Amino acid sequence: MRDHSEWLALAKDLDLPTQHHIDGRAEGGGQGFPVVSPRDGQVITHVADAGAAEIDLAVAAARRAFDSGPWPRLSPADRGRILLRMAELLEQQREQLALTVTLEMGKPITDAHDIELRAAINTFRWYGQLADKLTDESPHTAPDALALVTREPAGVVGAVVPWNFPLTLASWKVAPALAAGCTVVLKPSESSPLSALLLGQLGTEAGLPPGVLNVVNGDGPTAGQALGLHPGVDVLAFTGSTAVGRHFLRYAADSNLKRVWLELGGKSPNIILPDAPDLERAAATAAWGIFFNQGEMCTAPSRLLVHADIAEQVTEAVVRRARELRVGDPLDPATEMGPLVSSAHLDRVLDHVTTGQAEGARLRVGGEHRENFLQPTVFDQVDPGMRLAREEIFGPVLSVLTFTELDDAVQLANNTEYGLAAGVWTSDLSTAHKVARALRAGTVWVNCYEEGDLTVPFGGMKQSGNGRDKSAHALAKYTELKTTWIQL
Ligand code: NAD
């Protein structure tokens, strides 16, 4: 890993894209909108700003590439080779991409380089390798018939993603969609357009035919809405807030009933029982889970549910860890927490801190900020009815709640409109299984948090969304089942 001064020097010489990537080339100009780095409030560059006309252009390119271009007609092995080439190029451009992510949204460079880029590279590699290993079905049926159940590419995918993991989350949509034979229009968040544009360029460099992967910048209510309502889009794959997820269901209803897949918000519970195998590790993981990526994590274990007998011991250990965390310049490889993505987002998070105090929760540590840098924050004595316990904060703010009976812990854990993830810490195998079964969440971690790889699906229950990213299950989003019945 490079040192701080090397990253600072590299940041000065970064070559950043400023136009949309449509039909295999740079498109659009004009004044555009500024990309402001939360690191220092400076404008990094301006990027082209799409209205309905640019979305039309991108959808038309993706439509042509799907309806008459080579991509859906290539053999899966050939498609896989291009995805593998994309993984190689991501690896080659890893430093430039990590730096871009850090500058545009503020995550520490070590996390951008080691975690975000690793995830993006692995995703393209995994779907590249999977592309030619899929089979269709021929069910045993009537003796005078042959039935085929095949999966076909679903068409043009509109992918709209947030800023907290700009490349990972884009890859989780783009790689399986391309592997399935779809074409894509990707709209990144207005807070993180640059890394997505580089991904678009890199796809063309890897050999994607024109129009197969288009990247268009713009704000949600204009460009995002135009994509959501577009009659030329067959599938919408969205990651973002639950509030905006509702808009996408409306866009589909008000247009062509396109398929809508939603990966939305969370308020995930993390239950620590007195028989946890290692309470220090459980507390350290709870702290890491909520403060990693500045708490800007859909899966953040933001509700720590801890048994009353060990509550003080665990809370104290989390508070200690919060005090030790190195908050600072995200270009310093020793930094563990960078700035929040914007001053507007900081204000939203601070509002939760103020309300938490007003509602009577006890602030154990944190709550102060310098510019966009918020200190890791822990509240205890949180009641289930408080906003701190109910609403997604999307910042480094932990709420500690206590319980005495296991059933109450499960009930507390499920007492949320969300259902994205959950954790449970226990040494008892039966308790682990019983609690995991009882939790209404798309992922349950036992004696760990935020672990996993590409083999397992990821997504939410309840108002955390539908459908799954990652694993072979993600292909269900980007394919349609067809039955062919042949009378013999
Ligand atoms: P957001 O919902 O505000 O924005 C997400 C995307 O939607 C952006 O590209 C934005 O431009 C676009 N958008 C905004 N308003 C729109 C509109 N009216 N019409 C069309 N598009 C619109 O979310 P965010 O602030 O970028 O990200 C934070 C949210 O994302 C949190 O709620 C977090 O939990 C969620 N998230 C979920 C997952 C998951 O996998 N479940 C992963 C990461 C983040």
Side-chain angles (χ1 to χ4, degrees):
M1 174 60 75
R2 292 177 181 276
D3 66 22
H4 194 183
S5 58
E6 287 175 315
W7 286 116
L8 287 168
L10 277 183
K12 286 208 180 78
D13 291 336
L14 256 192
D15 190 14
L16 293 170
T18 57
Q19 291 175 284
H20 311 296
H21 188 78
I22 299 177
D23 216 9
R25 57 179 182 270
E27 278 283 350
Q31 170 67 21
F33 63 88
V35 184
V36 178
S37 178
R39 181 177 162 258
D40 53 10
Q42 298 295 311
V43 174
I44 311 171
T45 185
H46 284 74
V47 289
D49 190 5
E54 287 80 6
I55 294 291
D56 272 347
L57 210 61
V59 174
R63 194 74 262 166
R64 268 194 313 278
F66 186 78
D67 292 339
S68 50
W71 188 250
R73 290 150 202 95
L74 279 185
S75 76
D78 286 340
R79 283 201 295 266
R81 265 191 284 281
I82 292 180
L83 294 187
L84 290 172
R85 180 76 187 127
M86 285 181 78
E88 268 172 41
L89 291 177
L90 281 165
E91 186 79 67
Q92 281 169 22
Q93 297 171 29
R94 188 171 187 157
E95 289 193 330
Q96 185 196 357
L97 288 161
L99 202 46
T100 305
V101 167
T102 292
L103 289 177
E104 64 187 355
M105 59 66 67
K107 76 173 62 191
I109 188 71
T110 305
D111 293 349
H113 185 273
D114 293 358
I115 299 176
E116 171 101 40
L117 264 296
R118 182 183 62 200
I121 294 163
N122 284 348
T123 302
F124 278 96
R125 190 169 292 146
W126 202 84
Y127 286 102
Q129 289 168 344
L130 181 70
D132 64 349
K133 293 172 190 63
L134 301 164
T135 50
D136 287 325
E137 301 163 27
S138 177
H140 296 189
T141 183
D144 59 349
L146 174 65
L148 299 176
V149 181
T150 50
R151 281 203 173 268
E152 299 185 350
V156 172
V157 175
V160 178
V161 293
W163 44 264
N164 64 327
F165 278 85
L167 276 178
T168 305
L169 298 174
S171 304
W172 286 3
K173 312 290 187 214
V174 171
L178 295 183
C182 294
T183 60
V184 179
V185 177
L186 169 67
K187 194 208 83 65
S189 164
E190 47 278 48
S191 299
S192 58
L194 302 171
S195 52
L197 286 172
L198 290 171
L199 181 69
Q201 291 178 357
L202 179 152
T204 299
E205 199 182 328
L208 289 177
V212 171
L213 173 59
N214 309 276
V215 184
V216 187
N217 325 299
D219 76 355
T222 312
Q225 169 165 298
L227 191 58
L229 285 169
H230 206 292
V233 173
D234 301 296
V235 177
L236 279 171
F238 173 71
T239 297
S241 60
T242 297
V244 175
R246 287 181 210 284
H247 284 301
F248 277 92
L249 291 172
R250 287 193 202 102
Y251 298 151
D254 290 345
S255 57
N256 58 346
L257 287 184
K258 48 181 73 74
R259 310 287 173 264
V260 180
W261 301 108
L262 303 173
E263 300 288 345
L264 308 176
K267 189 74 190 174
S268 298
N270 184 21
I271 304 172
I272 305 189
L273 297 170
D275 69 345
D278 177 347
L279 277 184
E280 269 300 316
R281 190 166 67 82
T285 307
W288 174 80
I290 185 67
F291 302 135
F292 171 58
N293 212 48
Q294 300 73 242
E296 294 163 335
M297 294 283 295
C298 52
T299 46
S302 52
R303 291 184 297 144
L304 179 60
L305 311 185
V306 55
H307 191 280
D309 289 352
I310 51 166
E312 186 46 36
Q313 181 190 351
V314 170
T315 308
E316 190 45 45
V318 173
V319 167
R320 211 181 322 121
R321 183 70 194 119
R323 290 210 171 93
E324 288 164 3
L325 267 183
R326 298 174 68 142
V327 182
D329 183 1
L331 287 183
D332 181 346
T335 291
E336 293 170 292
M337 238 178 75
L340 295 187
V341 69
S342 64
S343 52
H345 186 53
L346 173 77
D347 288 344
R348 278 194 292 274
V349 175
L350 287 175
D351 182 53
H352 281 281
V353 173
T354 313
T355 310
Q357 286 173 295
E359 286 186 333
R362 179 168 64 168
L363 179 64
R364 291 286 296 257
V365 67
E368 315 92 41
H369 71 101
R370 184 181 49 78
E371 290 156 357
N372 286 345
F373 296 79
L374 178 63
Q375 288 301 320
T377 301
V378 177
F379 280 97
D380 68 357
Q381 299 179 356
V382 177
D383 288 336
M386 292 179 182
R387 269 182 73 200
L388 278 180
R390 287 184 292 111
E391 295 181 17
E392 183 180 48
I393 299 175
F394 219 59
V397 180
L398 179 68
S399 300
V400 183
L401 294 88
T402 58
F403 64 88
T404 48
E405 301 298 326
L406 184 59
D407 286 350
D408 295 340
V410 171
Q411 202 259 331
L412 263 180
N414 285 336
N415 182 16
T416 167
E417 65 197 32
Y418 296 111
L420 191 56
V424 56
W425 296 76
T426 175
S427 297
D428 186 296
L429 192 62
S430 296
T431 306
H433 280 292
K434 280 184 191 157
V435 174
R437 271 191 198 170
L439 290 171
R440 294 272 294 146
T443 298
V444 178
W445 284 291
V446 179
N447 297 334
C448 62
Y449 206 89
E450 217 65 74
E451 298 293 339
D453 57 26
L454 260 304
T455 60
V456 289
F458 175 82
M461 297 183 182
K462 296 155 75 179
Q463 292 185 42
S464 288
N466 64 328
R468 295 293 180 263
D469 282 338
K470 295 170 59 195
S471 82
H473 294 282
L475 294 168
K477 288 181 168 179
Y478 307 110
T479 50
E480 291 282 8
L481 275 182
K482 177 178 278 180
T483 295
T484 307
W485 183 276
I486 304 166
Q487 202 62 47
L488 299 178

